[in-house]
Amino acid sequence: MSGATPSLSVLLKRTSIDDHEEVLKACNATLKHSKSDLDAQHVRVIALLKSDRYDDARRALEEGGPKLQQKAQLEHAYALYKLGRLDEARSVAIALENNRGARHIEAQASYRIEDFPHSAALYRDLLERTDGYGHEKNVLHINMGATDAQLEWKRLGYLVRKKKPGREDLEAFETAYNAACGCIARGEFRQAGVLLKRSSDLCNASDDLSHEEKLAELLLIKVQQLFVLSMIGDVEQAERLAVDIAIQDIPDHSTKNVAVYNKLAASSKPLNPFIASRQAKSAPSIPSTDNLFDFQTDIMNRNEWALDLISSKFTGVATSTSRLMRETTSPTISVGVNSASVANAAAHAQSQIGKFGLKKILPLLEKRPSDIGLALTIVQLYTLTDNYGSAILVMESLLKRLEESITSTDQDIRFAPGLVSTIISLYSVRGQKSQMKTELAKAASYWRHKSNPPQPLLRAAGLSLLDSGQSEDFKTASQLFEVLRLQDPHDKYAIAGYIAANASIETSKAEHESEKLTPVNRLIVGIDISALESAGIPKLSPNIPAAGTKKRARDTDSKPAKKRIRKSRMPKEIDPKKPPDPERWLPLRDRSSYKPKGKKGKGKAAALTQGGVSGEKGSEGLNMGTADGGAADKKGGTVIEAPSKSKKKKGKR
C-alpha cells in the first residue's frame, strides 16, 4: 500500500474538472501494479461518474467487492439512480446516514418513484439546514417547486405549504416554470400563462445556457404553453404556437409524446379520428430512464382509448383494457386501472348511454362486483337519467362488500375519500341528512387513527358533527380537529373548528385558542352590516322529488301552448282570421251546406244525407219520419206530406 501512495498523490494533483480521461489512465496504471488499491478504485469510480459512464462505474463497484461499495456508498447510490434503478438507489442512500449528499439522492429517487410526500419532507429538511450550503439554495428551491407541483397532480395539495407563487419564484426560469406547473394542476390556467411567459423571458435572457440549451428549454416551455392556451380557449394563438413547435427537436422522448397530443388537441378543425390515432402512435417509444409520471401515462392511455372509441374500435378497446385490468388485483383505487375499467364499459356499451348503455353494462357488474371503475360508471349513467335511488343502491352494495372484507387494503379503499364523497353527494341530492352524518362519522372514525389521514374528509366530518348540536358529537369533532392541528399547527380551519367544538363543552380551551385566529373586527372591515341585514338571507329550497315518486306531478294550471302552423303548409285561399269549417273533414255531399243541382239531385240528396230516409226496400223499419210517410223538416220541424202520385223506378246507382 505504501508503494501505491505516491502515485495516488500524483493522481490527485493532476485531477481537474476537465481531464477525467487522464485520471482514468492514471488509475488504471496504478491498479495494474496494485489491484487491491482501494483509493485508486474509488477515484476511478468517481472519474467514470464524471464522464457519464454510469454503467461502467456500477461494474467497477461490483468488481471492487464489499469494501469498495462500503467506501463509495454515495457514488454507488448515484450510479444506480442514473441507471434508473431507483429502488436500489434509495435503499443504498438511506443506509448512508448523516450524509447530505445521500439525502439529495434519496429525495431525487423518491421523486422519480413518485413518493412525493417523502421527497417533499426531505427537501424541506434540507432547506431548513442550509448553513454552510448556501450554494444549494437555488437547486433546492427548484426541486421543492417541482415536488409541490407533483403533489398537486396527485391530489395531495393539502400537503403543499405554499400555494401562491412568491418573488423568489420569479427570479429563475426553472422556479417560474415549476410554479406554473403547480397552477396548472390546480386549474389556475390564467396565472399559469403569466408564469410561463416569465419563464420564457428569463430563459432567453440567461447567460448560463448555450444557444442549443436555450432552444431545448424553450421547447419544453412552449409545449406547456400550448396546453394552457387550449384550456383557456385561445384557439387561434394555440394554433400559431403549435406551428412553431418542432417535435423532432425536443430532446426528451417523454416530452415528445406529450407534445404530440397537445398539438392534436390545439387544432380547431374537426379531427379525423383514424388519422389522429395514427399520428399519436407515431411518437417514439420512451426509454426506462425517461418514463412519464403515472398521471401522464393515465392521460395518454385515456386519449388513445378515446380516439379508438370514436373510431368505433370497440373490440380493440375492450381487449386492451381487459388485459390491463387483469394485471392488477381488484378492488383498487388506481386511477389508471379504473380509467381502463370505464373505457372497457364504454366499449361494451358501444359508447351509448341511457337505458341501452345500462343494459349492456349491468351484466358486467355481476361478473366484476368489486370493480370500482365499473360501479362508478353505472352510478354516473343512473344520475344522468335522474335515477338517484338506483345509483345509491349500487354504491351501498359496493361499500358493503368492501366493508365485509377482512384485508386492510380493502378497508382503506372502503373509506377512500373519493368513494365517501360520491355516496355523500348522492345522499345530499336526496336530502338524506342522517345517512350523510353516519357515513362521515364512520369514515372519520376509521382515518383518525391512521398516519397521514386525508384532511378534506376529516374537515367535512368535523363540520357535519358540529351541525348536529349534541355534546357527544362536539367531543368527537374536537378530537378530529385536534388531529388536523397536529398535522398542520397553522391550519386556521382546524383551529376554528376546534374552538367551535369546545365552545360549549370546554370554554377555557376555546378562549385560549381563539387568540390564534384573525380578530373579527379585521375580518369585517369594509362590510356594510346594515345593508346585509336589510337585504335578508335568501333561502334556496331545491326541488327534490320524494323518495317514493318517480315522475313529477302535472301542472294543472298551465295551459297547453298553441301549435304554430307554418305558412308553407297553409292553402293560399285560407284566411287565418276566419275560423275553419268544423265539417271540413266530411265528404261534400254529407255537409249541411251541400245544395245539389236539379230535381233529381235533390231526391238523391235526401236519400244520401246522414240520418235521412232511404227509398229502397227493407228500409221501412229505419224510417225516422212520420207514420204516414212524411219526412221531418230540418229547419222548422213541421211535417210535409209525401207526393201522392207514383214515383218512377229508380235506376241502379
Side-chain angles (χ1 to χ4, degrees), residues 298 328-339 370 372-373 376 402 409-410 412-419 447:
D298 296 339
T328 310
T329 56
S330 185
T332 178
I333 55 175
S334 167
V335 176
V337 177
N338 287 316
S339 297
S370 299
I372 293 176
L376 291 177
L402 292 172
T409 54
D410 287 357
D412 289 346
I413 295 171
R414 159 62 182 89
F415 294 106
L419 294 180
W447 283 112

Side-chain angles (χ1 to χ4, degrees), residues 331-408:
T332 178
I333 55 175
S334 167
V335 176
V337 177
N338 287 316
S339 297
S341 179
V342 174
N344 183 270
H348 281 88
Q350 298 181 1
S351 298
Q352 299 293 320
I353 59 175
K355 293 182 179 180
F356 180 83
L358 286 168
K359 184 179 179 181
K360 294 290 185 180
I361 296 174
L362 283 172
L364 298 177
L365 190 61
E366 298 178 1
K367 299 178 182 178
R368 311 199 303 261
S370 299
D371 190 336
I372 293 176
L374 178 61
L376 291 177
T377 303
I378 293 173
V379 168
Q380 180 67 21
L381 292 179
Y382 274 132
T383 55
L384 289 175
T385 57
D386 294 334
N387 191 351
Y388 294 101
S390 298
I392 289 175
L393 288 177
V394 172
M395 279 301 300
E396 287 179 341
S397 176
L398 174 66
L399 296 179
K400 183 180 179 182
R401 191 177 296 107
L402 292 172
E403 198 167 353
E404 291 173 351
S405 177
I406 58 175
T407 60
S408 60

Side-chain angles (χ1 to χ4, degrees), residues 502-538:
N502 289 284
S504 59
I505 54 177
E506 292 189 36
T507 312
S508 59
K509 289 184 178 180
E511 291 177 351
H512 176 69
E513 294 294 330
S514 62
E515 298 175 356
K516 299 179 180 179
L517 295 178
T518 306
V520 178
N521 294 332
R522 289 177 56 188
L523 293 174
I524 63 175
V525 170
I527 297 177
D528 191 346
I529 300 175
S530 301
L532 289 176
E533 290 180 349
S534 60
I537 302 174

